[in-house]
């Protein structure tokens, strides 16, 4: 569901990749693109997606170098591959066009793990292994912590922990409520299925998919849960827990969206999520161990419920 948007690039650059990350710190929930469409002659579309969250590789010595996580179909749009640059571009919409500001293309990362858009076999503790559809990839951040100590003061918590959505969380009337953080408008949805088989436009089948239906806001108005460009966004529940990664929307029902479970994504990519919006101060091995323990802990199936308002 990466947005393919007609655009013009104001002052078309000859060498896009020379723009540095110093212009803007990477931000979870921000629009991202590899801008490959912009570098091809006569190409009139460009894929935009969303930066889901930050993470560290399991074998990393500390939190010094982070990666950003999004959908594979976002990071690898237009045949991108390892080493290609990911941007957090500055832009504005003018009618049906998206106008990019060349001075604010903001190169923030380099594709590091091409990931997967397919089925990954994963087993929750005490359960048999099952195929989970995942759409994910990573890009290593270009800006290292030591190069910008000011980011220490911009550490805002993005979510509190990682959790599983269990079939019991989809019982009618007791559905888990979720949202996409980082958006200017907060739209809530409820998870109506966590083991769905979704058929794609090409006829492929995506097993064990999360299905989210939008719910009316405080005024009783119903808005689509997701929109073009939300691909790769993190799914967070009403308890501030990261539970999934958005990858698609129903073709005919704008109020239905699809996401992959978070644990299979973390397992396949071999990463430990960073719970904050950007980098943290110098960390220790203890920080890594504590984070790993939180990932592997499965929450209670019936947490205390609260109404979202």
């Amino acid at each position: 569901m990466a947005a393919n948007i007609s655009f013009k690039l104001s002052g078309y650059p000859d060498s896009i990749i020379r723009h540095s990350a110093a212009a803007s710190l990477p931000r979870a929930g921000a629009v991202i693109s590899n801008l490959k469409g912009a570098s091809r002659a006569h190409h009139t579309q460009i894929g935009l997606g969303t930066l889901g969250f930050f993470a560290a590789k399991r074998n990393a010595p500390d939190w010094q170098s982070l990666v950003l996580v999004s959908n594979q179909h976002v990071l690898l749009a237009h045949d991108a591959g390892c080493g290609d640059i990911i941007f957090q571009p500055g832009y504005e919409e003018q009618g049906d066009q998206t106008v990019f500001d060349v001075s604010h293309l903001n190169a923030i990362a380099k594709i590091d793990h091409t990931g997967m858009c397919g089925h990954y076999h994963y087993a929750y503790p005490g359960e048999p292994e099952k195929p989970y559809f995942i759409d994910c990839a990573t890009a290593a951040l270009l800006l290292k912590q030591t190069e910008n100590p000011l980011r220490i003061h911009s550490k805002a918590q993005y979510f509190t922990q990682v959790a599983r959505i269990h079939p019991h969380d989809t019982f009618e009337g007791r559905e888990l409520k979720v949202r996409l953080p980082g958006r200017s408008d907060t739209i809530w949805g409820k998870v109506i299925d966590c083991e769905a088989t979704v058929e794609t436009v090409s006829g492929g089948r995506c097993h064990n998919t999360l299905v989210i239906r939008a719910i009316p806001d405080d005024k009783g108005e119903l808005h689509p849960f997701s929109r073009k460009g939300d691909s790769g966004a993190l799914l967070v529940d009403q308890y501030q827990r990261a539970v999934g990664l958005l990858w698609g929307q129903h073709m005919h029902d704008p109020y239905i969206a699809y996401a992959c479970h978070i644990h299979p994504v973390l397992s396949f990519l071999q990463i430990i999520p960073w719970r904050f919006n950007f980098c943290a101060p110098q960390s220790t091995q203890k920080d890594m161990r504590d984070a790993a323990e939180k990932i592997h802990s499965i929450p209670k199936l019936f947490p205390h419920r609260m109404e979202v308002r």
Side-chain angles (χ1 to χ4, degrees):
M1 199 178 63
N4 287 317
I5 302 175
S6 174
F7 76 103
K8 59 183 179 181
L9 199 55
S10 178
Y12 192 89
D14 294 325
S15 53
I16 291 178
I17 65 173
R18 293 183 182 178
H19 291 269
S20 72
S24 178
L25 293 178
R27 179 176 60 84
V31 170
I32 57 173
S33 173
N34 59 36
L35 293 183
K36 297 286 282 188
S39 62
R40 298 180 180 180
H42 310 299
H43 206 295
T44 59
Q45 291 186 326
I46 184 170
L48 297 178
T50 298
L51 195 168
F53 61 96
F54 301 105
K57 296 180 180 179
R58 286 186 183 276
N59 59 357
D62 53 32
W63 291 102
Q64 189 69 16
S65 298
L66 299 181
V67 298
L68 65 82
V69 183
S70 187
N71 289 155
Q72 184 195 70
H73 81 263
V74 169
L75 297 186
L76 272 62
H78 302 299
D79 302 318
C82 277
D84 283 329
I85 301 297
I86 298 299
F87 299 84
Q88 180 181 293
Y91 70 94
E92 63 178 15
E93 295 184 0
Q94 297 180 2
D96 61 348
Q97 289 190 317
T98 297
V99 181
F100 290 87
D101 182 352
V102 175
S103 64
H104 294 92
L105 288 181
N106 304 331
I108 59 171
K110 184 180 295 185
I111 296 176
D112 172 68
H113 191 313
T114 55
M116 171 185 283
C117 186
H119 290 92
Y120 174 67
H121 284 77
Y122 180 82
Y124 283 99
E127 298 181 14
E129 188 175 82
K130 295 192 296 186
Y132 287 85
F133 176 78
I134 60 174
D135 183 351
C136 58
T138 67
L141 297 184
L142 298 177
L143 191 62
K144 305 301 181 183
Q145 179 182 321
T146 54
E147 296 171 8
N148 190 349
L150 293 180
R151 86 185 71 184
I152 293 175
H153 303 294
S154 63
K155 187 180 70 170
Q157 187 161 275
Y158 199 45
F159 56 92
T160 58
Q161 59 180 307
V162 176
R164 173 195 183 182
I165 294 184
H166 189 274
H168 293 157
D169 293 317
T170 65
F171 286 170
E172 187 174 357
R174 301 180 59 184
E175 298 96 340
L176 197 68
K177 296 177 177 63
V178 294
R179 65 185 177 88
L180 303 178
R183 287 175 47 158
S184 57
D185 54 336
T186 300
I187 297 176
W188 288 90
K190 59 183 179 181
V191 182
I192 59 176
D193 199 337
C194 66
E195 299 177 310
T197 296
V198 176
E199 186 172 351
T200 64
V201 178
S202 60
R205 292 180 177 274
C206 307
H207 299 293
N208 290 301
T209 293
L210 299 174
V211 182
I212 304 99
R213 181 186 295 278
I215 57 179
D217 60 19
D218 292 339
K219 298 179 181 179
E221 298 178 357
L222 188 63
H223 304 278
F225 180 76
S226 62
R227 57 198 173 195
K228 286 187 176 181
D230 281 341
S231 283
L234 186 67
L235 202 66
V236 174
D237 70 10
Q238 73 251 49
Y239 307 110
Q240 286 299 102
R241 305 176 306 183
V243 296
L245 203 62
L246 191 84
W247 60 262
Q249 185 180 48
H250 195 286
M251 286 187 61
H252 307 295
D253 188 344
Y255 306 110
I256 294 290
Y258 306 116
C260 39
H261 288 265
I262 191 69
H263 286 94
V265 168
L266 301 177
S267 177
F268 173 77
L269 294 174
Q270 287 294 293
I271 55 175
I272 299 172
W274 179 242
R275 296 179 292 117
F276 302 95
N277 194 28
F278 195 55
C279 299
Q282 288 278 1
S283 299
T284 64
Q285 285 290 343
K286 182 180 183 297
D287 295 321
M288 297 288 283
R289 289 195 300 270
D290 291 345
E293 289 174 2
K294 287 186 178 181
I295 290 175
H296 291 297
S297 62
I298 303 298
K300 296 179 180 179
L301 299 182
F302 301 100
H304 176 66
R305 302 283 180 180
M306 66 178 181
E307 184 177 356
V308 176
R309 299 185 182 277

